[in-house]
Amino acid sequence: MSDIRYGLIGCGNMGSGHANTLTSGAIRGAALTAVCDASADRRVWLRERYPSVTVFDTTEALLDSGLVDAVIVATPHFDHPKDAIAAFRRGLHVLIEKPAGVSAGRVRLMNEAAAASGRRFGIMYNQRMNPLYQKVRDLIASGELGEIRRTNWIITDWYRPQAYYDSGSWRATWAGEGGGVLLNQCPHQLDLWQWTTGLMPSRIRAFCHFGKHRDIEVEDEVTAYVEYPNGATGVFITTTGETPGTNRYEVTGDRGKLVVENGRLTFWRLRESEPEFNARNTVPFDRPEEWKIEFPNLGPSPEHAGILQNFTDALLNGAPLLAPGEEGILGLSISNAMHLSAWREEWVDLPLDEAAFETELQRRIDTSRGRG
């Protein structure tokens, strides 16, 4: 099969980055053949920068052009499901930017369209390419950590000044983005949280502060407590209003603890499982023997280019997708549940009541200063 012909829907910051990657020749078996953008000025720039690529005024014109085998959707959050569904209905493969969408209910329709089309579907969860998180997932899946008892992620190094939010009237509004730090900055961590552990929470109690540190509508500080089906618990803390920030991910099992921080992975490994030790021990204040294992540098992460190459390989030779698009609903359901819990000031069970979330979100969109 010849090169996969990619079309790019949306050429803002992320879209332009994908265009540069594809036109640089960095992705084996891939070529950028068409792009589209809603901005007339942007289209002029695109024609000047990529003279060999066809530039379209609308998404529909690109999808109907016959010039592409697959599309990358890099439009605003609300449009991801709509644009992906339109592509699937034309028999095209789809790779979407994160997040999968704004609400799990709308994303579910996209997943159903993907299944009905028989096309390949991926999401730009580039952090799944990071060797650190791949190793965490491997150690948990292999049983080295034992049964998970607790997770804890503090991700507060998303600092954003007011000038960032003032750079676009759509930024940090319910109508423009559909959420704040949970939807804009943290989708990767929310995905990795469930991807590395293989666990989705069974219920969530979240406390979201809306416009606490900045003049914005949406959440800029979140503390959430979760419970898992096996009895484990977890905490997720994030903000865009704190500096210097922290990025520390801990997973504790009955055979030790994993910590990812400052680009390094450390594993405290118990000689025997904690329940086994506790059952036989008769010495007050004793504890299981442990080893501290500091993993060497696990190598660079190929990031977005890695996802693009993996998706291209899937289309050309059936390689398994590292980030299937259908899995975008998982992290999004967690963030939706956090929002719903904060809005209603109560526990929220998972699977999510998608209709309840949609109703609450729409109330905020209707009064958002980002409307129109």
Side-chain angles (χ1 to χ4, degrees):
M1 184 177 181
S2 58
D3 288 353
I4 299 300
R5 302 174 301 163
Y6 279 99
L8 181 57
I9 303 174
C11 295
N13 291 335
M14 294 308 304
S16 297
H18 299 323
N20 290 336
T21 300
L22 286 166
T23 55
S24 72
I27 309 302
R28 300 180 304 278
L32 182 65
T33 55
V35 297
C36 67
D37 195 271
S39 167
D41 291 341
R42 196 67 172 171
R43 293 194 297 271
V44 171
W45 178 85
L46 288 165
R47 291 186 175 97
E48 293 173 350
R49 183 168 180 83
Y50 308 111
S52 64
V53 176
T54 303
V55 179
F56 291 97
D57 293 359
T58 66
T59 299
E60 290 73 19
L62 184 152
L63 296 176
D64 292 332
S65 68
L67 296 177
V68 301
D69 307 303
V71 295
I72 301 170
V73 177
T75 47
H77 304 160
F78 279 97
D79 293 336
H80 291 179
K82 172 179 66 70
D83 292 335
I85 290 170
F88 285 130
R89 287 176 176 168
R90 290 165 172 83
L92 299 174
H93 305 285
V94 177
L95 176 61
I96 60 170
E97 258 298 338
K98 61 83 183 171
V102 170
S103 68
R106 304 182 199 194
V107 168
R108 189 172 301 283
L109 297 177
M110 175 174 61
N111 287 357
E112 292 170 355
S117 73
R119 303 293 90 184
R120 301 307 295 266
F121 182 28
I123 186 168
M124 194 61 76
Y125 277 149
N126 54 286
Q127 286 302 304
R128 290 193 183 189
M129 303 300 300
N130 191 321
L132 279 173
Y133 297 114
Q134 290 182 350
K135 178 59 72 173
V136 170
R137 175 178 163 89
D138 173 64
L139 290 169
I140 293 173
S142 67
E144 288 290 324
L145 193 65
E147 183 177 20
I148 293 176
R149 290 183 160 184
R150 182 179 59 82
T151 67
N152 183 27
W153 206 324
I154 303 174
I155 173 69
T156 59
D157 59 353
W158 291 121
Y159 182 75
R160 297 291 186 271
Q162 186 66 45
Y164 165 81
Y165 296 112
D166 292 343
S167 66
S169 60
W170 52 273
R171 284 196 184 277
T173 64
W174 294 114
E177 292 193 282
V181 63
L182 291 175
L183 206 66
N184 198 328
Q185 282 79 35
C186 281
H188 289 300
Q189 284 71 41
L190 292 172
D191 172 63
L192 292 171
W193 199 19
Q194 60 80 28
W195 183 70
T196 55
T197 61
L199 293 175
M200 280 287 286
S202 54
R203 66 174 190 156
I204 293 175
R205 181 66 178 99
F207 301 87
C208 299
H209 296 269
F210 304 96
K212 180 177 182 179
H213 302 289
R214 302 289 181 263
D215 180 19
I216 59 176
E217 293 180 356
V218 295
E219 79 284 353
D220 56 359
E221 182 175 300
V222 178
T223 299
Y225 175 83
V226 306
E227 295 179 351
Y228 296 101
N230 72 339
T233 61
V235 175
F236 191 89
I237 298 171
T238 189
T239 181
T240 56
E242 182 176 312
T243 189
T246 297
N247 185 358
R248 180 181 174 92
Y249 179 36
E250 292 188 12
V251 185
T252 301
D254 64 20
R255 295 196 67 93
K257 178 176 72 172
L258 295 168
V259 176
V260 178
E261 188 173 25
N262 299 324
R264 308 290 289 188
L265 171 62
T266 305
F267 182 17
W268 282 268
R269 178 69 154 84
L270 300 185
R271 184 183 182 93
E272 60 185 314
S273 75
E274 188 280 328
E276 291 173 353
F277 167 83
N278 189 58
R280 68 166 182 80
N281 176 61
T282 59
V283 181
F285 303 106
D286 200 4
R287 66 176 61 196
E289 183 181 352
E290 66 183 45
W291 299 283
K292 182 181 180 182
I293 304 167
E294 294 183 299
F295 285 83
N297 190 323
L298 295 173
S301 173
E303 299 289 326
H304 300 88
I307 292 290
L308 270 170
Q309 187 64 67
N310 173 245
F311 192 73
T312 302
D313 291 343
L315 301 186
L316 287 174
N317 54 45
L321 287 176
L322 186 60
E326 293 84 356
E327 294 181 8
I329 199 171
L330 300 176
L332 182 63
S333 292
I334 295 173
S335 70
N336 282 181
M338 289 180 182
H339 276 132
L340 188 58
S341 174
W343 290 335
R344 293 190 166 183
E345 299 183 351
E346 63 186 19
W347 284 92
V348 168
D349 293 330
L350 289 169
L352 177 71
D353 184 339
E354 295 171 2
F357 172 80
E358 196 75 49
T359 297
E360 293 288 351
L361 175 62
Q362 191 60 51
R363 288 177 182 171
R364 287 153 181 84
I365 292 173
D366 289 343
T367 57
S368 172
R369 64 191 182 196
R371 292 182 66 188

